Amino acid sequence: MLSASGDATVVKDPLSLEYFRLGDREGFLLRTLRDPMTVAELTRRFQRQFPNERATGEQVLGFCASLYDCSLLLSDAATEPRKPSGKAPWYATLMSPLAIRLPGVDPTPLLGVLRPLGSLLFGRAFAVTLLVATLVVGMGLLGRAEELTIELRRMLDLFSPMHALMAVLAVVVVKAWHELGHAIACRRMGAECHEVGVLLLAFLPCLYCDVSDAWSLSSRWRRATVALGGVYFELMLAVAAGAAWLVLAPGPLRALSLYVVVVASVSTLLVNLNPLMRYDGYYLLADAWGVANLHAQSREALWGPLRRWVRGDRSEPEPLDASPGALAAYGMASIVYGWFILALILWGLHHALSAAGFRAVGDLLVALSMGGLALVGVRWFGGLVPRTAGGRSPGGFVRFGVVAALTALVFYGVASWPIDQTLYSTCRVENAVFADVVARSPGVLRPQVRYGEVVEAGQLIAEIEDTSADLRRLELLQREAETAVEIAGLQTRSQRDAKLLAEIARLEPTLAEVRRQLRSHDELTERRRLRAPIAGRVDPPVKLAADNASETKTGDLPTWSGAPLDPPNGGCWLDSGETVCRVAGDGLRVVLLLSEDDSGLVRVGDPVRIALDRAPAAVLAGRVEGVALAAADEAIGDQERLLEKSLRSPLQKGAVYRVSVGLLDASPPELQAGAIGQARVVTGRETLGGWAYRWLRRLVRFG
C-alpha cells in the first residue's frame, strides 16, 4: 500500500503492519515494479526519469534485494513461504527490566465508540475553551503560590506510604490518558491504530499505542496533531486536576490532584516533548527535519565513518536526509541524555528500594540494566569486525585492534577516576550520655517526677512500695525496741543480782541480729527508691510498639499502659527488671548499622553526613567515634537491640556492627533521640572501578 506523505512515499505492509518511508527515487522504483520487468529495463526507466543520477544495474539490483528482504517485493523464483519479522531474543526482556512491553489488543471497536468524543475534544470550540481554562487555573495557582510551594515540598516525601501511592496512581492515570489521546487523535486525523497494550515502565503499568499509520497521512499538520495528541490530553487532565486542587479541602483527593498536575507537566517537558528521547518530541522533530528514521540516521552519521574505516569500506555511503554533522551532534546528545535519564531512574528506584529495606533487589535491578547496556556494547563491537568479499581483511584487524585498544584505554581511565569511598546506612539518633532507671524489685510505683523534667544526680525519681516488706520492718522495729528495753532493765537489776549478766549476754546477740536485719531491710528499701544516676532530662524508656500489647507474656492483663511515669500509672504494679525511665545527659550521637563487609572499611575519625527522615533538607555532620559488634555492645539494652533489629533490611544477613558517630555542630532543636534517617559515611578515596568491584562482590554474595 503506497501513499504520499510530503516529499516521501510511505509503504504499508498489510500483513505485518510495518511502515517504510521511501524517497522519491526509491518510491519511483517501487511503483515501477508493479509490472514485471528485467533489471536492465528497470535501470533504463530510472535513468530516463532521473537523468542526472548515474545509477548502475548493480545498484538497482541491490535496491531490489533490499525490497525483497523487507518482504515488499516478490520473486517468481521464490518458493519459500514468507517468514514473519524476527522477534527479540528471549534475554531481551530480562536485560531490559525497566521497559517490559506486554502483548496488546486491537482498539478499533473502542475507538469507533469514542469517535464522537474525538470530534468534540479536537474541535476548535473545545480548544479555545481549554486555552481559557488553562489561563484561569494558572492564575489561580499563582495567586496561591505560597500554599502551593508548601504542598510541593510535602510531595517530596515519597517514603510516606500515602504519598508514594498517590505518586504511582498519578503516573498510571496520566500516562494511560496520554496514550488514549494518541489513539483518538490518530483515528480523528484519518489514520488507523491497531494495537494498544500495557507497558511496564520502571515497573509502573502504563499504556502504549501504535500510531505508525500516521506516517501515511499526507498533511504534516495532521501528523503533528497525532504526535501531540497525548500532550493535548495531558493538558486537559492537568487543568482539571489544578482546578480540583483549588476547590478541594486538604485530603487524599487534593494530594492526588497536585500529583497529577506535576506528572502531567514535568514528564511532558522532560520526556514527551524532549526530542532527544524517542517520544512525541522526537517524532515532531523527525517530521519537521524531514529525516524519517532520525534515530538510525543519527547513529549512522555518528558511528558510520568509524565502522567503514575499520572495515576498509571505500564504497559510497548511503545518503542521509540531513547534514551528517548535525545528525552526529544530535546522536551524541541523545545518547548522553538517554544515559542521564537511565541513571536518574535507576538511582530513584535503588534509593526507594533501599529505604524500604530491599537494597539487594535494587542492586539486582541495576545489574540487569547495566548487563543489557553491556550486551548492546558487545553487539556494537561485533559490528566493527572487518570483513571483505573474499573473507577477513588483515589490515582491518589492525584498525579494529587500534579501536579496541583506545576503547580499553578510555574504560581504564574511567575506572581509575578517583571518587569518595562512601557507605550508606540506616541510622538512629540516641543520647550520647544516658542511664536507664530499672526497677530492681517488684512493687507499687509511686512517681516523684514526670517525664521531661530535669533532675540532678541522686535525686529521687520514684519509689517502689512493698507492703509485706514494710510490715516486716515494723515487726523488726518492734522487736528491736522490746529487746533493747529488756536488756536495759536487766542491766539495772544486774547491780543487785550478778546472775542476770548471763541473761544480758544471751539477749545482746539477738539485738545485734535484729539490728542487722533492719540495716539489710533499709538497704532493700533504699534499692526501691529509684534515684537519678546522672544529671539530665527524664525521658520515657526506649520501647517498641509491640510492648503496648493487650496482654503480658504470661497471658495476664497489663498493669500499666504507655510509660510507667505517666500520670495515669501512679500506684500501678511494677515487676522487677522493668525500665521506668531514661535519664539523658547533654549531647546526642548517631548510631549506624553496617554489614560485616562495610564495617571493615570504617575507621575512627571518618567524616559522616546524616539526613533524617523528619528533616530531609537538614544535613548533619559528624565523625566516627567507635565501631563494635551490635550483639556484643553491652552499653545498650534488649529494647534497643530489638529496635535496631527491626531497622535492618529483611534481606540483610550476617553480623551487624554499630558505628557510633559524634556530631560536630550543636544539635538543632528539632533533633530528638529516637529519630530515624539515612547516613553517608566517607571512608576515604577509591577508584570508580574499585567501587564497582565492591558492589559486584556484594551482589554476588547476595545471590
Side-chain angles (χ1 to χ4, degrees):
M1 182 182 299
L2 300 178
S3 61
S5 179
D7 298 333
T9 300
V10 176
V11 184
K12 176 182 178 181
D13 188 337
L15 295 181
S16 64
L17 298 180
E18 293 180 331
Y19 294 82
F20 303 88
R21 186 179 176 90
L22 306 178
D24 53 351
R25 294 163 180 76
E26 292 84 358
F28 170 79
L29 290 174
L30 186 60
R31 285 191 293 269
T32 305
L33 284 173
R34 290 175 174 176
D35 300 325
M37 64 183 64
T38 63
V39 174
E41 177 63 22
L42 181 62
T43 304
R44 285 194 296 270
R45 293 191 181 186
F46 181 83
Q47 291 174 348
R48 286 198 302 267
Q49 181 69 19
F50 301 99
N52 295 328
E53 299 287 343
R54 297 181 180 180
T56 63
E58 182 180 354
Q59 292 175 333
V60 173
L61 181 61
F63 176 72
C64 293
S66 300
L67 294 177
Y68 179 77
D69 293 338
C70 296
S71 301
L72 298 179
L73 186 67
L74 298 179
S75 172
D76 295 336
T79 57
E80 295 183 359
R82 180 176 177 178
K83 298 181 180 179
S85 58
K87 296 182 178 180
W90 62 271
Y91 53 81
T93 301
L94 182 63
M95 304 307 289
S96 301
L98 298 181
I100 302 176
R101 182 170 175 170
L102 303 180
V105 296
D106 190 349
T108 302
L110 176 62
L111 295 179
V113 175
L114 297 178
R115 187 172 182 177
L117 179 63
S119 301
L120 172 65
L121 298 182
F122 286 95
R124 294 183 179 179
F126 184 84
V128 173
T129 303
L130 179 61
L131 177 60
V132 174
T134 302
L135 295 176
V136 172
V137 173
M139 292 177 62
L141 294 176
L142 289 177
R144 299 168 66 176
E146 184 176 355
E147 182 182 0
L148 182 62
T149 303
I150 297 175
E151 291 291 333
L152 289 174
R153 290 177 180 175
R154 292 177 181 174
M155 288 177 56
L156 297 177
D157 185 16
L158 294 179
F159 297 105
S160 170
M162 188 195 77
H163 286 186
L165 178 61
M166 293 298 174
V168 171
L169 186 59
V171 171
V172 173
V173 171
V174 170
K175 294 310 167 186
W177 182 251
H178 176 98
E179 296 301 323
L180 182 62
H182 282 304
I184 294 179
C186 186
R187 185 64 180 267
R188 172 64 179 167
M189 293 299 109
E192 299 177 356
C193 176
H194 288 291
E195 185 180 15
V196 170
V198 177
L199 174 68
L200 298 180
L201 188 61
F203 300 107
L204 297 180
C206 303
L207 289 183
Y208 73 87
C209 66
D210 185 1
V211 292
S212 302
D213 196 56
W215 287 109
S216 63
L217 299 174
S218 58
S219 172
R220 178 172 294 177
W221 291 107
R222 288 179 175 268
R223 295 195 299 269
T225 302
V226 175
L228 291 175
V231 176
Y232 181 63
F233 267 48
E234 282 193 20
L235 178 61
M236 300 180 203
L237 196 59
V239 171
W245 183 85
L246 290 173
V247 299
L248 288 175
L253 288 180
R254 194 167 191 255
L256 178 60
S257 300
L258 189 55
Y259 271 111
V260 169
V261 173
V262 172
V263 172
S265 56
V266 175
S267 64
T268 298
L269 295 176
L270 294 182
V271 179
N272 294 107
L273 287 181
N274 193 322
L276 297 178
M277 303 187 70
R278 300 181 68 179
Y279 293 106
D280 305 341
Y282 165 84
Y283 293 106
L284 284 174
L285 177 63
D287 198 2
W289 204 354
V291 182
N293 197 346
L294 179 58
H295 177 81
Q297 291 202 35
S298 63
R299 299 311 189 264
E300 177 63 26
L302 186 61
W303 306 116
L306 176 63
R307 184 178 63 254
R308 290 190 295 272
W309 176 77
V310 171
R311 291 181 174 182
D313 185 3
R314 299 182 179 179
S315 61
E316 188 70 19
E318 292 290 335
L320 301 175
D321 295 337
S323 168
L327 288 173
Y330 170 84
M332 180 58 67
S334 63
I335 290 175
V336 173
Y337 188 78
W339 277 72
F340 168 74
I341 292 296
L342 177 62
L344 188 63
I345 293 175
L346 289 177
W347 175 85
L349 288 175
H350 189 276
H351 188 72
L353 290 172
S354 299
F358 294 93
R359 180 180 178 182
V361 178
D363 290 343
L364 183 61
L365 178 64
V366 174
L368 289 176
S369 301
M370 292 297 101
L373 292 177
L375 183 61
V376 172
V378 170
R379 294 180 61 185
W380 181 81
F381 259 98
L384 291 181
V385 176
R387 294 178 182 272
T388 60
R392 299 184 182 276
S393 171
F397 274 101
V398 174
R399 293 187 290 270
F400 180 79
V402 172
V403 174
L406 291 176
T407 305
L409 185 62
V410 171
F411 272 99
Y412 177 78
V414 173
S416 303
W417 189 270
I419 60 174
D420 288 336
Q421 187 180 60
T422 57
L423 304 174
Y424 296 90
S425 167
T426 302
C427 65
R428 182 172 61 88
V429 180
E430 65 179 27
N431 299 103
V433 179
F434 63 89
D436 290 331
V437 179
V438 182
R440 291 170 287 184
S441 60
V444 178
L445 178 65
R446 301 298 181 188
Q448 303 297 318
V449 298
R450 293 186 178 184
Y451 293 123
E453 294 185 15
V454 178
V455 297
E456 299 294 334
Q459 182 177 338
L460 185 63
I461 292 178
E463 291 183 338
I464 306 296
E465 292 184 356
D466 188 348
T467 306
S468 60
D470 293 341
L471 292 176
R472 174 61 178 166
R473 186 174 187 277
L474 291 176
E475 292 176 358
L476 291 175
L477 288 174
Q478 182 179 3
R479 187 177 177 183
E480 179 193 23
E482 292 175 351
T483 305
V485 170
E486 185 177 359
I487 292 176
L490 291 175
Q491 288 177 345
T492 302
R493 293 162 52 193
S494 65
Q495 296 177 358
R496 299 189 300 270
D497 188 356
K499 294 180 179 180
L500 296 178
L501 294 176
E503 184 65 17
I504 294 173
R506 183 184 67 81
L507 292 176
E508 285 179 345
T510 302
L511 180 60
E513 176 62 22
V514 171
R515 289 176 174 173
R516 186 193 66 79
Q517 292 182 15
L518 275 173
R519 288 193 300 271
S520 177
H521 191 279
D522 290 341
E523 292 177 359
L524 294 177
T525 301
E526 182 61 29
R527 285 172 59 87
R528 293 199 300 272
R529 294 190 179 97
L530 306 181
R531 301 183 182 276
I534 61 174
R537 186 184 65 253
V538 179
D539 292 335
V542 178
K543 59 181 181 300
L544 298 176
D547 292 340
N548 295 326
S550 59
E551 293 185 357
T552 61
K553 296 181 180 179
T554 60
D556 299 329
L557 291 176
T559 59
W560 53 274
S561 62
L565 295 184
D566 289 340
N569 295 324
C572 69
W573 179 266
L574 208 63
D575 291 328
S576 177
E578 289 192 274
T579 304
V580 176
C581 65
R582 165 172 288 185
V583 180
D586 295 333
L588 296 172
R589 68 178 179 183
V590 179
V591 175
L592 280 60
L593 303 178
L594 294 180
S595 64
E596 186 175 1
D597 289 341
D598 291 341
S599 64
L601 303 174
V602 178
R603 297 180 299 273
V604 175
D606 286 340
V608 182
R609 296 175 64 84
I610 302 161
L612 299 177
D613 294 344
R614 296 179 182 176
V619 179
L620 308 178
R623 290 193 178 277
V624 175
E625 294 181 344
V627 181
L629 186 64
D633 194 342
E634 298 179 355
I636 62 174
D638 294 336
Q639 299 280 11
E640 275 114 333
R641 297 183 196 279
L642 293 175
L643 177 60
E644 291 180 356
K645 185 177 180 180
S646 68
L647 295 177
R648 293 175 58 184
S649 163
L651 302 179
Q652 186 176 353
K653 301 179 181 179
V656 176
Y657 285 77
R658 300 179 81 248
V659 179
S660 300
V661 178
L663 299 178
L664 297 180
D665 302 326
S667 302
E670 63 272 12
L671 185 63
Q672 300 292 334
I676 306 298
Q678 298 292 320
R680 175 179 180 264
V681 187
V682 179
T683 60
R685 301 284 288 178
E686 66 176 344
T687 62
L688 188 61
W691 170 83
Y693 172 75
R694 182 162 53 87
W695 177 75
L696 287 174
R697 186 179 63 179
R698 185 182 67 238
L699 180 64
V700 171
R701 288 192 60 180
F702 163 73

